[in-house]
Amino acid sequence: MVFVKGALMSITLAIAAITSVVSIPVHQKRLNKRQAEDGVDDSNGLTDLVTWDTYTLKVNGERLFLFSGEFHYYRLPSPGLWLDIMQKFKALGYNGISFYFNWGYHSPKRGVYNFDGIRNVQKAFDAAEETNLYVISRAGPYINAENDCGGLAPWTLDMQSPARKSNPENNAASEEWLNEIDKILVPNQITKGDPGYLEMIKNKFIADGMDVPDIYNDANMLYNFPKGPADIYGWDNYPAGFDCSAPDAWPNNRSTEYMSYHKKVNDHQPAALWEFQGGAFDPWGGPGYEGVACYQMVNEKYAKVYYKNNYAQGITIQNLYMTYGGTSWGGLSKPSVYTSYDYGAAISEPGLMTTKAYENKLQATFLHTVKPFLTTEHFKAKVDKSDIILVDGRAATETSTKFYIAQHWLTSSKDLDEFHITIDTTDGKFEIPRSSKLILNGRDAKLLVADYDFESQHLIYSTSEIFTHQDVGSHDVIVVYAYEEEEGEFAIKVKNDNKVHVEADDSVNSETKDGILQLTYTHPNGTTPVYISGGTEKDLLVLIAGYDSALHWWAPYIDKKESERVLIHGPYLVRSAKKDESNIAFTGDIDETTDIQVVLPDGIKSITWNGEKVKLKKQDKHGIYTGTLKFTKPNVSYTDLTKEANWKYSPASPETEPEFDDSEWITADRLSTNSITPHKTWPILYADDYGYHTGNIWFRGHFNGSSEITGFNLTAHSGSASAWIVHLNGHYLGGFDVGNQAFTNLNSTTLMNPEGENVISILLWTTGHEEDGVSDDNHKQARGFTQAELLGVSNQTIWSIDWKIQERYFYDKSNLGGEDLADPVRGTYNEGGLYGERNGWHLPGFPDDNWEDIDTPGSQNRTGVSWYRTTFDVNIPDGYDVPMSLRYKDKTKTRYRSLLFLNGWQLGRYANDLGPQTQFYLPRGILNTDGENTLAIAVIPVDEAAQVGQIILEPYDVLQSALPQVELVESPTYQDRQK
C-alpha cells in the first residue's frame, strides 16, 4: 500500500501499501529507517512530511485520526460519479479513502496497459484532492477483494511459476505492472508471505520515486512482517463474518487483544486496522443485501459496538471495508459473488445514504473534534456491573481528559442494563450518573468524555455522547446525544454558582452547586436547546439530541484549513459549506421538503442552499435559525419497458448446429497446462490455456461415429454458479452445474450418427476465477473440462474427439485470441463468447431491423440462446439525482442465465434459479439521463427452454441534489467497431 493526500498542499498524499505475500530475499541496499527517539517522530527516512509515533500518524507535524473507507474505482465505471462518492465520504466525516488498483482491469495482455476512460485513475486522485481526502493507495500486485484472480492480470494464469512468490517469471510480471501504476502513484504523493518478494516490491517503489511511507496489511493478527520491510504494519478483521442469512446472530468475538498485540509487535507505530469490516459480501443464492439480510447484520448498531471497541483498544487508523461497494460489472468478480457488490456498506450501490452512514458521521466527527483522544493510554475503569458491562478507560497523555468506552461483555447481548462508572477528575471523584440512569440498551456502545477543556468551557463529565463543538463567536456550542427516552447528565465547571442562568424547557433540570452546573434530562424526539450564561468565560449552547435527530446534524468545515465548522440539522446530505464574508453557501441533497435548523457564527447574516437563498427565521437570540428547504417534484420521465418499448428478438446459438463453421476457431491441442486442476483426458480443455478468461465460452467437439460408440463422458470444472449446456448434433442433451455427466446409450437413439461426423456443442457459463488468498495458485483452477471422452471405444486416442474453442472475436477473424480485445474501451471483462457478443449485438447502433418484433421479452418460452434489444429514453432534469435500475420480475420455473447490457456495457448477470439479485444498478454516465439508451439482454436457458420475466426500468429514489456534473462515458457503437 501507499499513503497519499489531497488536502494539505493541493496534492495527493499517498501512503504506499504493499499487499502481497511472497519469497526470496532481494539483495538490494535499503535506506536506513530513522529510529524513533525521545521527542523524535519515526519516519521512513525518505520524507518528514509523513511521520508517526506509537499514537498516530502525523502530516506536516499535525496528528490525525485516519478515518478511512474503501472505494474501488473499477466497481463504478463512470468516473464522473467518483467525485460524488468522495463528496459523500467527506460529508460523513471521513478524512481518508482507500483505493485498490486492479491489475487485471488495466492489462488484458502482457505488455498492454490502459489508463484511459473509465480506467483513468488520475481522476480518482483528482477527486480525492478536491474533497481533501487522504488516499491509501493499494497497488497490489495482488489485492483479493472478491475480484477475478484476486486482481492479478488474467494473462498471468498461464505462468508456469507460482504467483505471489519471488521467482524470475513472477517478479518480471509484477515489475511490469508496478512500472505502469507507479507512473501514476509517484506524482500524486504529498511530497510530489515471504520477505523477499515484499523487498522486491518495496525497492521497486523506492526506485520509481515513491518516498511516502509504505504499509503492510496482515490478514488478522498473524505476526507476518511486523518488523518490516513495510514502514507501518497493521492488520485486518471481519468479526461479524459473512453469513447474512442469520443477520441477528452476532458472534461474541469483539476483540480485546488489539492493544496487547500492538504493544507486543509494533508499539513504535500507531495501531492500524488497514481493513476493518464495514459490511459483508453476499454469495449467489444468498439472502441479499436489502431488508433483513446484510444491511441488518452490519447495521448502525454493529458500527456502534465494533468500531467503538476499536477505539477502546487504541486504534487510530481505521479503514472500513467497504464504505462504498459498487458493482462487479461484467466479469470482474470471483465466482462466489454476483454483480452487486453493495456489501451492506454505509453508502449503498446506487450511492444512497444509510443509517450506518449517519452513525459513521457521528463517530468520525467526534474523533476529529476531540483532539485529546489522539494520544491516550489505557487504564482500568471502575464500573459497578463489571460482570456484564465492559468499560475501557483511556487517559489522554497531554491533558487530564479521560474517555470511557462502555459496551456489553457479550457482544450479542440484547439486554437493557443500568450501570455506573466511577470517574476521577481534576474536579474530584464522582460516580456517574449522579442523579439519573445510564443504560446500555442491547447492542449499543457509548464513548463518554470527562475532564475535558473545549472551546472556553470545562466539561466535568457527560453521560451523553459528544458529536462536536464549535466556538461561534459570542458563545460556544456543543451537540450531545443518546437514544430517545434515555436519561442523560451534562456537567460543566462554572465560576460563580449565583451568576449561572440556564434557559431551557421543562424537560431539562439544572442544579448549580460547588462550582458545578449539572443538567439532567431525557433525550427527546428531536433536539432540545439549552443556553447557559453567566458562569463561564463565554456562554454555552448545549444541543441535546435524540439519536434519530443526531443522525441528521451535520458539521461541515467552512474554511480551507478545516478549523471551523458550522452546524446544520435536517438535510438528507450536506456535501459542503463555504463561508464568504456574511454568507455560508451550503450544497447538498434533500429527499423531501425539509425543515432545517442552523447555528450561525457571529457575523453570518444569510445562507444559500445549492445557490438559492434560504429564508431564515431566528428561533432565539442564541444564533439558532430555522428555515425550510422546499423539495420540488421533478418531471422525471423514462420509458415503460413493459408497455412502451419496441422490442426486437433473435435466436442466437448457431454453434449448436452441426453445420456451423468453426474452422477458424482455436484448435484445442495443448497436452500440458499450468492450471492446478488435474486433468483426466487430453487434449487440455481449459479455456485459460488458450487465452480465453472471461464470460461464456463455447467448446465444439467433432468425432466420427462408429458402432462401438455408445455416448460420451464430460466433467466440467468451473466456479460457483457456473453452468454448462450440452447439445449433440443440434439436439439439447441437458444443462448442468459443475461436475461429471455421462451421456450413455446414445447409440440406441437417432441423436448420434453412427457412420458420419458428430458434433458436441457445449456452452460454459463461467463466473470468474478464484482468489489466491493463501498464495497457493488457487486462482489457477481450471475453467473448462477435466474429462472428455467417448464411451464404448476400446482403442480411444487423445484425438478421438477434435476440439475447438472460441470465446470472442469481432469482424477480424485473424484475431481470435481472448487477450486481443476488440473493445479496449470497455475492456477485458465486458464480453464473453456468445454469438451475439462476438457479433456486436449488445452495442448501440447494431442493425436489428430484420429481427422479429415482439411485445416483451417474456412473451413466450424459447429454446437456445435468445437476444432481445430495445431503446429507451430517460430524462432527469438538472439539479436532481435519480439513480435508476433494471429489475427482472420473474416467475419462471425453468432455469436460465441472463446478461444485461446497457449501451454496450455488461451491467448485470442474472440467474433466476439462484438469485438473490433481481435489481441491477445503471450508473449515470453509462446511462444517458438526457436521451436515448440501448438495452440488450441475452437469455441462456439451462433447461431446454426458458421464458424471461418482465424487465422493469425504475428509480431507487428521487433526490433534489447538488450532484456534480457527470459526463457521458465513451461507449463505442457497432459502427465504431467496423471502422
Side-chain angles (χ1 to χ4, degrees):
M1 300 182 195
V2 185
F3 188 54
V4 196
K5 172 171 183 176
L8 295 177
M9 297 182 175
S10 297
I11 48 179
T12 331
L13 156 78
I15 295 180
I18 303 171
T19 58
S20 306
V21 180
V22 264
S23 242
I24 93 172
V26 176
H27 300 294
Q28 181 175 347
K29 184 177 180 181
R30 293 180 57 209
L31 291 168
N32 294 325
K33 186 185 295 185
R34 187 176 67 188
Q35 298 298 312
E37 302 170 354
D38 290 342
V40 179
D41 294 335
D42 205 354
S43 76
N44 64 357
L46 299 174
T47 178
D48 288 327
L49 286 178
V50 184
T51 59
W52 59 89
D53 60 16
T54 186
Y55 298 114
T56 67
L57 287 168
K58 296 182 182 181
V59 178
N60 278 336
E62 182 179 348
R63 290 192 182 278
L64 61 90
F65 188 109
L66 184 59
F67 196 104
S68 176
E70 194 77 18
F71 166 75
H72 297 161
Y73 63 91
Y74 54 87
R75 283 187 162 119
L76 185 57
S78 177
L81 287 173
W82 297 350
L83 178 59
D84 169 56
I85 296 299
M86 292 188 212
Q87 285 181 351
K88 289 168 180 171
F89 271 59
K90 190 67 177 181
L92 295 174
Y94 289 66
N95 61 352
I97 189 168
S98 175
F99 298 158
Y100 262 142
F101 293 90
N102 187 324
W103 183 4
Y105 191 66
H106 295 276
S107 180
K109 183 179 181 180
R110 184 185 294 274
V112 177
Y113 288 86
N114 184 350
F115 291 95
D116 297 324
I118 62 167
R119 294 168 178 79
N120 185 350
V121 295
Q122 183 58 50
K123 290 185 176 181
F125 283 109
D126 293 344
E129 178 182 349
E130 183 171 336
T131 50
N132 225 14
L133 291 170
Y134 293 97
V135 177
I136 302 172
S137 173
R138 308 208 279 173
Y142 181 79
I143 60 174
N144 217 58
E146 288 72 57
N147 287 302
D148 179 80
C149 296
L152 296 175
W155 54 263
T156 65
L157 290 164
D158 201 34
M159 287 197 315
Q160 184 175 12
S161 304
R164 305 190 66 199
K165 305 283 185 181
S166 186
N167 56 70
E169 187 179 22
N170 182 54
N171 287 359
S174 298
E175 287 189 19
E176 180 181 297
W177 161 243
L178 294 173
N179 278 336
E180 299 300 323
I181 192 62
D182 284 358
K183 293 174 186 176
I184 297 170
L185 295 184
V186 169
N188 283 291
Q189 298 175 93
I190 196 170
T191 56
K192 5 187 204 255
D194 151 32
Y197 187 50
L198 290 179
E199 283 281 6
M200 183 278 291
I201 296 173
K202 181 181 180 74
N203 289 332
K204 179 62 179 168
F205 279 144
I206 294 172
D208 286 343
M210 196 77 69
D211 51 18
V212 291
D214 51 46
I215 65 179
Y216 179 79
N217 176 43
D218 203 351
N220 216 318
M221 295 176 285
L222 301 179
Y223 296 90
N224 289 315
F225 318 115
K227 304 303 181 185
D231 296 314
I232 305 175
Y233 169 84
W235 59 94
D236 66 27
N237 197 8
Y238 290 79
F242 300 96
D243 184 6
C244 297
S245 65
D248 208 38
W250 281 13
N252 290 315
N253 67 341
R254 165 257 296 110
S255 176
T256 56
E257 300 175 359
Y258 294 161
M259 185 168 47
S260 58
Y261 182 77
H262 173 239
K263 284 186 177 296
K264 183 176 181 180
V265 303
N266 67 326
D267 190 39
H268 61 292
Q269 301 166 357
L273 282 167
W274 293 117
E275 279 188 31
F276 190 79
Q277 185 168 11
F281 65 79
D282 190 50
W284 289 97
Y289 292 110
E290 300 294 339
V292 296
C294 293
Y295 268 109
Q296 179 178 334
M297 185 177 80
V298 285
N299 60 10
E300 77 282 358
K301 293 182 179 180
Y302 164 85
K304 277 174 165 280
V305 171
Y306 282 96
Y307 301 171
K308 290 177 186 176
N309 178 72
N310 292 344
Y311 315 147
Q313 290 290 305
I315 298 298
T316 60
I317 297 174
Q318 177 179 260
N319 181 49
L320 298 176
Y321 187 106
M322 302 290 297
T323 290
Y324 174 78
T327 306
S328 293
W329 64 280
L332 270 173
S333 68
K334 75 171 188 175
S336 61
V337 295
Y338 46 89
T339 299
S340 175
Y341 199 68
D342 181 282
Y343 215 82
I347 304 171
S348 71
E349 182 182 10
L352 301 175
M353 294 292 102
T354 66
T355 305
K356 180 168 61 180
Y358 297 142
E359 168 61 31
N360 291 356
K361 168 171 59 76
L362 293 176
Q363 294 184 29
T365 306
F366 167 87
L367 293 167
H368 303 321
T369 298
V370 184
K371 299 297 185 182
F373 195 74
L374 297 179
T375 54
T376 63
E377 295 288 348
H378 187 271
F379 68 91
K380 186 174 182 180
K382 185 177 180 181
V383 58
D384 61 351
K385 299 284 184 66
S386 59
D387 56 333
I388 56 175
I389 303 292
L390 168 65
V391 178
D392 285 287
R394 298 207 68 88
T397 61
E398 299 173 1
T399 70
S400 59
T401 306
K402 292 185 174 66
F403 303 91
Y404 300 86
I405 301 95
Q407 56 187 312
H408 279 104
W409 268 107
L410 291 178
T411 312
S412 60
S413 174
K414 294 184 177 181
D415 296 339
L416 189 157
D417 292 297
E418 183 181 349
F419 64 102
H420 292 78
I421 304 171
T422 300
I423 65 172
D424 193 358
T425 75
T426 55
D427 304 287
K429 183 177 287 189
F430 307 91
E431 185 179 70
I432 62 168
R434 299 198 293 170
S435 54
S436 63
K437 292 181 179 180
L438 177 59
I439 65 171
L440 279 177
N441 189 356
R443 294 172 175 179
D444 190 12
K446 296 179 184 291
L447 201 170
L448 307 181
V449 183
D451 213 352
Y452 172 48
D453 292 324
F454 70 97
E455 311 307 344
S456 60
Q457 314 293 327
H458 177 72
L459 176 70
I460 299 173
Y461 70 87
S462 173
T463 63
S464 302
E465 295 188 83
I466 296 173
F467 170 47
T468 191
H469 52 74
Q470 182 64 49
D471 177 355
V472 296
S474 59
H475 60 280
D476 302 323
V477 185
I478 188 168
V479 182
V480 298
Y481 66 95
Y483 280 121
E484 290 78 4
E485 303 303 320
E486 288 190 11
E487 296 177 5
E489 293 180 7
F490 181 90
I492 61 171
K493 187 75 173 177
V494 294
K495 295 179 180 179
N496 188 322
D497 294 357
N498 297 321
K499 292 185 177 181
V500 175
H501 180 64
V502 177
E503 298 177 43
D505 64 24
D506 294 339
S507 67
V508 179
N509 294 317
S510 64
E511 181 182 5
T512 306
K513 185 178 180 181
D514 298 329
I516 298 174
L517 167 64
Q518 177 184 315
L519 305 178
T520 307
Y521 46 84
T522 299
H523 291 87
N525 291 307
T527 298
T528 298
V530 180
Y531 197 79
I532 302 167
S533 60
T536 58
E537 180 181 335
K538 282 189 177 182
D539 294 350
L540 174 64
L541 174 62
V542 183
L543 297 172
I544 302 169
Y547 184 67
D548 286 345
S549 182
L551 294 176
H552 288 90
W553 275 106
W554 301 84
Y557 292 113
I558 57 176
D559 63 328
K560 288 185 177 181
K561 294 182 179 180
E562 297 192 349
S563 61
E564 185 179 1
R565 297 177 182 270
V566 65
L567 287 163
I568 180 171
H569 177 271
Y572 175 90
L573 171 67
V574 177
R575 294 175 182 264
S576 68
K578 183 179 180 181
K579 183 171 69 171
D580 183 11
E581 295 182 352
S582 62
N583 182 74
I584 294 179
F586 292 96
T587 66
D589 301 9
I590 56 173
D591 57 352
E592 61 183 355
T593 295
T594 302
D595 292 330
I596 62 169
Q597 291 177 287
V598 190
V599 182
L600 294 180
D602 292 353
I604 299 299
K605 306 299 183 184
S606 62
I607 70 168
T608 58
W609 177 262
N610 295 341
E612 298 291 328
K613 188 172 182 178
V614 179
K615 184 178 180 180
L616 295 177
K617 180 180 179 181
K618 196 167 186 178
Q619 180 175 323
D620 56 26
K621 61 184 179 181
H622 309 308
I624 301 178
Y625 293 80
T626 59
T628 299
L629 305 178
K630 185 179 179 182
F631 181 88
T632 303
K633 186 176 180 180
N635 182 20
V636 175
S637 63
Y638 48 90
T639 303
D640 185 339
L641 297 180
T642 66
K643 297 177 181 178
E644 301 170 350
N646 297 315
W647 286 96
K648 295 282 192 173
Y649 156 74
S650 176
S653 45
E655 300 92 341
T656 63
E657 299 301 322
E659 63 271 15
F660 179 81
D661 182 8
D662 60 15
S663 60
E664 295 192 44
W665 285 22
I666 298 293
T667 298
D669 56 4
R670 290 188 63 161
L671 302 181
S672 62
T673 179
N674 291 319
S675 169
I676 65 169
T677 304
H679 59 93
K680 294 184 177 180
T681 59
W682 289 266
I684 301 299
L685 295 180
Y686 298 167
D688 293 301
D689 287 292
Y690 301 94
Y692 301 130
H693 307 303
T694 301
N696 293 281
I697 302 161
W698 277 102
F699 298 78
R700 281 172 55 90
H702 301 252
F703 67 92
N704 291 320
S706 73
S707 58
E708 284 186 294
I709 300 173
T710 61
F712 51 89
N713 191 19
L714 299 172
T715 301
H717 192 96
S718 195
S720 302
S722 294
W724 51 293
I725 302 99
V726 183
H727 287 76
L728 176 64
N729 298 329
H731 299 284
Y732 173 84
L733 297 185
F736 312 95
D737 299 328
V738 293
N740 176 258
Q741 189 67 38
F743 301 88
T744 60
N745 300 318
L746 295 178
N747 56 331
S748 62
T749 71
T750 59
L751 301 180
M752 189 167 66
N753 183 352
E755 297 180 353
E757 185 182 59
N758 295 272
V759 180
I760 305 167
S761 300
I762 310 170
L763 178 59
L764 179 64
W765 165 285
T766 70
T767 53
H769 298 86
E770 310 296 339
E771 296 169 314
D772 190 25
V774 294
S775 305
D776 59 357
D777 271 1
N778 189 52
H779 65 301
K780 292 183 181 178
Q781 287 194 42
R783 296 296 177 257
F785 295 86
T786 61
Q787 183 179 22
E789 60 185 354
L790 299 174
L791 299 176
V793 179
S794 57
N795 61 342
Q796 186 167 186
T797 72
I798 61 175
W799 308 118
S800 292
I801 307 175
D802 293 325
W803 286 99
K804 294 277 193 170
I805 300 178
Q806 170 61 49
E807 187 192 39
R808 61 184 175 213
Y809 68 84
F810 195 99
Y811 300 121
D812 179 8
K813 294 189 178 183
S814 66
N815 177 11
L816 301 180
E819 294 175 0
D820 292 302
L821 302 184
D823 188 350
V825 171
R826 295 183 179 91
T828 190
Y829 297 111
N830 193 60
E831 300 166 7
L834 293 180
Y835 185 82
E837 291 177 293
R838 304 198 310 269
N839 288 280
W841 291 6
H842 58 301
L843 297 175
F846 174 77
D848 56 16
D849 296 345
N850 294 328
W851 286 23
E852 179 183 342
D853 293 314
I854 59 171
D855 292 332
T856 63
S859 57
Q860 72 178 70
N861 226 25
R862 293 184 172 92
T863 61
V865 179
S866 299
W867 278 78
Y868 305 93
R869 285 176 52 88
T870 191
T871 59
F872 65 89
D873 289 336
V874 174
N875 289 283
I876 299 172
D878 291 342
Y880 290 87
D881 183 13
V882 185
M884 299 294 294
S885 69
L886 282 169
R887 181 164 59 89
Y888 288 75
K889 187 178 180 181
D890 196 355
K891 295 182 179 179
T892 304
K893 301 301 181 184
T894 53
R895 298 173 297 160
Y896 72 90
R897 303 289 187 265
S898 180
L899 299 178
L900 185 159
F901 291 91
L902 175 67
N903 296 324
W905 298 83
Q906 187 192 132
L907 296 182
R909 292 183 174 189
Y910 174 62
N912 75 319
D913 58 317
L914 297 177
Q917 186 174 9
T918 60
Q919 187 175 20
F920 295 85
Y921 174 47
L922 310 178
R924 194 170 188 148
I926 299 290
L927 178 71
N928 180 3
T929 58
D930 189 28
E932 186 178 83
N933 296 272
T934 298
L935 175 63
I937 295 173
V939 177
I940 303 100
V942 180
D943 293 326
E944 186 166 7
Q947 183 173 349
V948 67
Q950 287 185 317
I951 307 298
I952 298 172
L953 178 66
E954 60 187 8
Y956 290 93
D957 205 348
V958 178
L959 303 173
Q960 197 166 300
S961 174
L963 177 75
Q965 183 176 0
V966 180
E967 68 274 13
L968 283 176
V969 173
E970 180 187 1
S971 298
T973 66
Y974 179 85
Q975 289 74 22
D976 292 330
R977 283 216 197 163
Q978 287 183 305
K979 295 176 182 177

